[in-house]
mmCIF file of all heavy atoms in Angstrom:
data_model
loop_
_atom_site.group_PDB
_atom_site.id
_atom_site.type_symbol
_atom_site.label_atom_id
_atom_site.label_comp_id
_atom_site.label_asym_id
_atom_site.label_seq_id
_atom_site.Cartn_x
_atom_site.Cartn_y
_atom_site.Cartn_z
ATOM 1 N N LEU A 1 -2.852 -20.772 0.008
ATOM 2 C CA LEU A 1 -2.424 -19.979 1.143
ATOM 3 C C LEU A 1 -1.607 -18.746 0.688
ATOM 4 O O LEU A 1 -1.791 -17.640 1.239
ATOM 5 C CB LEU A 1 -1.543 -20.843 2.063
ATOM 6 C CG LEU A 1 -1.028 -20.163 3.350
ATOM 7 C CD1 LEU A 1 -2.169 -19.730 4.233
ATOM 8 C CD2 LEU A 1 -0.110 -21.126 4.092
ATOM 9 N N PHE A 2 -0.739 -18.944 -0.289
ATOM 10 C CA PHE A 2 0.042 -17.831 -0.812
ATOM 11 C C PHE A 2 -0.850 -16.774 -1.455
ATOM 12 O O PHE A 2 -0.663 -15.573 -1.305
ATOM 13 C CB PHE A 2 1.067 -18.324 -1.851
ATOM 14 C CG PHE A 2 1.873 -17.255 -2.473
ATOM 15 C CD1 PHE A 2 2.944 -16.683 -1.790
ATOM 16 C CD2 PHE A 2 1.615 -16.803 -3.730
ATOM 17 C CE1 PHE A 2 3.699 -15.621 -2.337
ATOM 18 C CE2 PHE A 2 2.370 -15.797 -4.320
ATOM 19 C CZ PHE A 2 3.409 -15.219 -3.620
ATOM 20 N N ALA A 3 -1.848 -17.259 -2.210
ATOM 21 C CA ALA A 3 -2.827 -16.339 -2.889
ATOM 22 C C ALA A 3 -3.571 -15.485 -1.867
ATOM 23 O O ALA A 3 -3.758 -14.292 -2.029
ATOM 24 C CB ALA A 3 -3.756 -17.080 -3.798
ATOM 25 N N LYS A 4 -4.008 -16.134 -0.787
ATOM 26 C CA LYS A 4 -4.787 -15.398 0.253
ATOM 27 C C LYS A 4 -3.845 -14.371 0.908
ATOM 28 O O LYS A 4 -4.286 -13.257 1.181
ATOM 29 C CB LYS A 4 -5.262 -16.402 1.315
ATOM 30 C CG LYS A 4 -6.448 -17.245 0.901
ATOM 31 C CD LYS A 4 -6.895 -18.127 2.070
ATOM 32 C CE LYS A 4 -8.107 -18.925 1.728
ATOM 33 N NZ LYS A 4 -8.562 -19.762 2.852
ATOM 34 N N SER A 5 -2.623 -14.755 1.132
ATOM 35 C CA SER A 5 -1.654 -13.868 1.770
ATOM 36 C C SER A 5 -1.376 -12.681 0.841
ATOM 37 O O SER A 5 -1.199 -11.531 1.315
ATOM 38 C CB SER A 5 -0.381 -14.590 2.127
ATOM 39 O OG SER A 5 -0.632 -15.706 2.910
ATOM 40 N N LEU A 6 -1.261 -12.941 -0.447
ATOM 41 C CA LEU A 6 -1.003 -11.898 -1.394
ATOM 42 C C LEU A 6 -2.153 -10.865 -1.415
ATOM 43 O O LEU A 6 -1.975 -9.628 -1.429
ATOM 44 C CB LEU A 6 -0.853 -12.467 -2.814
ATOM 45 C CG LEU A 6 -0.215 -11.599 -3.888
ATOM 46 C CD1 LEU A 6 1.249 -11.375 -3.625
ATOM 47 C CD2 LEU A 6 -0.374 -12.258 -5.247
ATOM 48 N N VAL A 7 -3.404 -11.426 -1.390
ATOM 49 C CA VAL A 7 -4.565 -10.575 -1.318
ATOM 50 C C VAL A 7 -4.584 -9.720 -0.054
ATOM 51 O O VAL A 7 -4.935 -8.530 -0.040
ATOM 52 C CB VAL A 7 -5.889 -11.388 -1.406
ATOM 53 C CG1 VAL A 7 -7.089 -10.555 -1.089
ATOM 54 C CG2 VAL A 7 -5.994 -12.024 -2.767
ATOM 55 N N LEU A 8 -4.165 -10.349 1.058
ATOM 56 C CA LEU A 8 -4.151 -9.575 2.330
ATOM 57 C C LEU A 8 -3.153 -8.476 2.265
ATOM 58 O O LEU A 8 -3.431 -7.348 2.700
ATOM 59 C CB LEU A 8 -3.775 -10.566 3.455
ATOM 60 C CG LEU A 8 -3.547 -9.909 4.855
ATOM 61 C CD1 LEU A 8 -4.809 -9.204 5.310
ATOM 62 C CD2 LEU A 8 -3.124 -10.923 5.872
ATOM 63 N N GLY A 9 -1.932 -8.715 1.698
ATOM 64 C CA GLY A 9 -0.964 -7.652 1.529
ATOM 65 C C GLY A 9 -1.479 -6.475 0.699
ATOM 66 O O GLY A 9 -1.269 -5.321 1.016
ATOM 67 N N LEU A 10 -2.170 -6.822 -0.393
ATOM 68 C CA LEU A 10 -2.748 -5.786 -1.270
ATOM 69 C C LEU A 10 -3.860 -5.009 -0.523
ATOM 70 O O LEU A 10 -3.925 -3.808 -0.588
ATOM 71 C CB LEU A 10 -3.344 -6.424 -2.524
ATOM 72 C CG LEU A 10 -2.370 -6.746 -3.649
ATOM 73 C CD1 LEU A 10 -3.050 -7.683 -4.664
ATOM 74 C CD2 LEU A 10 -1.907 -5.470 -4.346
ATOM 75 N N ALA A 11 -4.713 -5.757 0.171
ATOM 76 C CA ALA A 11 -5.861 -5.135 0.825
ATOM 77 C C ALA A 11 -5.429 -4.180 1.971
ATOM 78 O O ALA A 11 -6.036 -3.133 2.145
ATOM 79 C CB ALA A 11 -6.783 -6.193 1.396
ATOM 80 N N VAL A 12 -4.403 -4.552 2.673
ATOM 81 C CA VAL A 12 -3.921 -3.696 3.765
ATOM 82 C C VAL A 12 -3.214 -2.444 3.228
ATOM 83 O O VAL A 12 -3.375 -1.338 3.758
ATOM 84 C CB VAL A 12 -2.932 -4.480 4.691
ATOM 85 C CG1 VAL A 12 -2.258 -3.567 5.682
ATOM 86 C CG2 VAL A 12 -3.694 -5.577 5.435
ATOM 87 N N ALA A 13 -2.494 -2.607 2.133
ATOM 88 C CA ALA A 13 -1.718 -1.489 1.556
ATOM 89 C C ALA A 13 -2.561 -0.527 0.724
ATOM 90 O O ALA A 13 -2.255 0.662 0.694
ATOM 91 C CB ALA A 13 -0.586 -2.026 0.684
ATOM 92 N N ALA A 14 -3.637 -1.006 0.072
ATOM 93 C CA ALA A 14 -4.307 -0.246 -0.947
ATOM 94 C C ALA A 14 -5.063 1.019 -0.455
ATOM 95 O O ALA A 14 -5.017 2.033 -1.132
ATOM 96 C CB ALA A 14 -5.272 -1.139 -1.734
ATOM 97 N N PRO A 15 -5.741 0.961 0.724
ATOM 98 C CA PRO A 15 -6.476 2.176 1.095
ATOM 99 C C PRO A 15 -5.550 3.349 1.214
ATOM 100 O O PRO A 15 -4.500 3.311 1.851
ATOM 101 C CB PRO A 15 -7.043 1.807 2.495
ATOM 102 C CG PRO A 15 -7.145 0.304 2.426
ATOM 103 C CD PRO A 15 -5.947 -0.147 1.627
ATOM 104 N N VAL A 16 -5.947 4.486 0.594
ATOM 105 C CA VAL A 16 -5.099 5.710 0.589
ATOM 106 C C VAL A 16 -5.353 6.468 1.882
ATOM 107 O O VAL A 16 -6.140 7.389 1.916
ATOM 108 C CB VAL A 16 -5.399 6.555 -0.649
ATOM 109 C CG1 VAL A 16 -4.423 7.805 -0.659
ATOM 110 C CG2 VAL A 16 -5.175 5.744 -1.908
ATOM 111 N N GLY A 17 -4.642 6.071 2.931
ATOM 112 C CA GLY A 17 -4.663 6.776 4.205
ATOM 113 C C GLY A 17 -3.436 7.603 4.348
ATOM 114 O O GLY A 17 -2.873 8.121 3.341
ATOM 115 N N PRO A 18 -2.945 7.808 5.574
ATOM 116 C CA PRO A 18 -1.762 8.640 5.789
ATOM 117 C C PRO A 18 -0.510 8.110 5.111
ATOM 118 O O PRO A 18 0.299 8.909 4.597
ATOM 119 C CB PRO A 18 -1.601 8.635 7.300
ATOM 120 C CG PRO A 18 -2.366 7.403 7.793
ATOM 121 C CD PRO A 18 -3.482 7.245 6.824
ATOM 122 N N ILE A 19 -0.337 6.792 5.055
ATOM 123 C CA ILE A 19 0.864 6.223 4.474
ATOM 124 C C ILE A 19 0.804 6.406 2.957
ATOM 125 O O ILE A 19 1.770 6.718 2.294
ATOM 126 C CB ILE A 19 1.019 4.756 4.852
ATOM 127 C CG1 ILE A 19 1.144 4.612 6.386
ATOM 128 C CG2 ILE A 19 2.252 4.135 4.186
ATOM 129 C CD1 ILE A 19 1.066 3.233 6.898
ATOM 130 N N GLY A 20 -0.392 6.155 2.380
ATOM 131 C CA GLY A 20 -0.521 6.324 0.945
ATOM 132 C C GLY A 20 -0.313 7.782 0.517
ATOM 133 O O GLY A 20 0.352 8.053 -0.492
ATOM 134 N N ALA A 21 -0.842 8.733 1.316
ATOM 135 C CA ALA A 21 -0.627 10.136 1.007
ATOM 136 C C ALA A 21 0.866 10.513 1.103
ATOM 137 O O ALA A 21 1.372 11.245 0.227
ATOM 138 C CB ALA A 21 -1.408 11.003 1.999
ATOM 139 N N LEU A 22 1.528 9.924 2.082
ATOM 140 C CA LEU A 22 2.961 10.233 2.222
ATOM 141 C C LEU A 22 3.786 9.646 1.043
ATOM 142 O O LEU A 22 4.690 10.282 0.529
ATOM 143 C CB LEU A 22 3.512 9.593 3.516
ATOM 144 C CG LEU A 22 4.932 9.900 3.917
ATOM 145 C CD1 LEU A 22 5.111 11.386 4.143
ATOM 146 C CD2 LEU A 22 5.315 9.130 5.150
ATOM 147 N N CYS A 23 3.387 8.426 0.614
ATOM 148 C CA CYS A 23 4.078 7.801 -0.521
ATOM 149 C C CYS A 23 3.893 8.587 -1.797
ATOM 150 O O CYS A 23 4.842 8.771 -2.576
ATOM 151 C CB CYS A 23 3.537 6.347 -0.702
ATOM 152 S SG CYS A 23 4.418 5.418 -2.025
ATOM 153 N N ILE A 24 2.684 9.057 -2.040
ATOM 154 C CA ILE A 24 2.399 9.867 -3.242
ATOM 155 C C ILE A 24 3.241 11.151 -3.209
ATOM 156 O O ILE A 24 3.836 11.570 -4.188
ATOM 157 C CB ILE A 24 0.905 10.177 -3.336
ATOM 158 C CG1 ILE A 24 0.114 8.885 -3.625
ATOM 159 C CG2 ILE A 24 0.637 11.233 -4.401
ATOM 160 C CD1 ILE A 24 -1.387 9.079 -3.560
ATOM 161 N N ASN A 25 3.249 11.793 -2.004
ATOM 162 C CA ASN A 25 4.014 12.998 -1.897
ATOM 163 C C ASN A 25 5.509 12.794 -2.113
ATOM 164 O O ASN A 25 6.184 13.581 -2.820
ATOM 165 C CB ASN A 25 3.803 13.570 -0.456
ATOM 166 C CG ASN A 25 4.406 14.917 -0.250
ATOM 167 O OD1 ASN A 25 4.437 15.748 -1.161
ATOM 168 N ND2 ASN A 25 4.929 15.182 0.917
ATOM 169 N N ARG A 26 6.063 11.731 -1.547
ATOM 170 C CA ARG A 26 7.492 11.433 -1.756
ATOM 171 C C ARG A 26 7.798 11.157 -3.200
ATOM 172 O O ARG A 26 8.846 11.540 -3.706
ATOM 173 C CB ARG A 26 7.880 10.208 -0.900
ATOM 174 C CG ARG A 26 7.901 10.473 0.569
ATOM 175 C CD ARG A 26 9.037 11.403 0.954
ATOM 176 N NE ARG A 26 9.160 11.529 2.422
ATOM 177 C CZ ARG A 26 8.526 12.416 3.119
ATOM 178 N NH1 ARG A 26 7.705 13.264 2.521
ATOM 179 N NH2 ARG A 26 8.690 12.525 4.457
ATOM 180 N N THR A 27 6.885 10.473 -3.904
ATOM 181 C CA THR A 27 7.095 10.173 -5.334
ATOM 182 C C THR A 27 7.125 11.446 -6.160
ATOM 183 O O THR A 27 7.975 11.606 -7.029
ATOM 184 C CB THR A 27 5.979 9.258 -5.876
ATOM 185 O OG1 THR A 27 5.938 8.057 -5.082
ATOM 186 C CG2 THR A 27 6.259 8.847 -7.325
ATOM 187 N N LEU A 28 6.206 12.356 -5.877
ATOM 188 C CA LEU A 28 6.189 13.607 -6.631
ATOM 189 C C LEU A 28 7.401 14.493 -6.300
ATOM 190 O O LEU A 28 7.910 15.178 -7.179
ATOM 191 C CB LEU A 28 4.903 14.386 -6.291
ATOM 192 C CG LEU A 28 3.597 13.835 -6.903
ATOM 193 C CD1 LEU A 28 2.390 14.542 -6.350
ATOM 194 C CD2 LEU A 28 3.660 13.929 -8.446
ATOM 195 N N GLU A 29 7.852 14.458 -5.045
ATOM 196 C CA GLU A 29 9.000 15.281 -4.614
ATOM 197 C C GLU A 29 10.311 14.748 -5.159
ATOM 198 O O GLU A 29 11.165 15.463 -5.606
ATOM 199 C CB GLU A 29 9.041 15.419 -3.127
ATOM 200 C CG GLU A 29 7.979 16.316 -2.548
ATOM 201 C CD GLU A 29 8.161 16.435 -1.015
ATOM 202 O OE1 GLU A 29 8.985 15.688 -0.456
ATOM 203 O OE2 GLU A 29 7.470 17.250 -0.387
#
């Protein structure tokens, strides 16, 4: 159950959409 949940967390976060773009921008700035 923990492994499935970990995969879900990764899968939801990984696509580089608006939040990913914002995170990359904040890191560079």
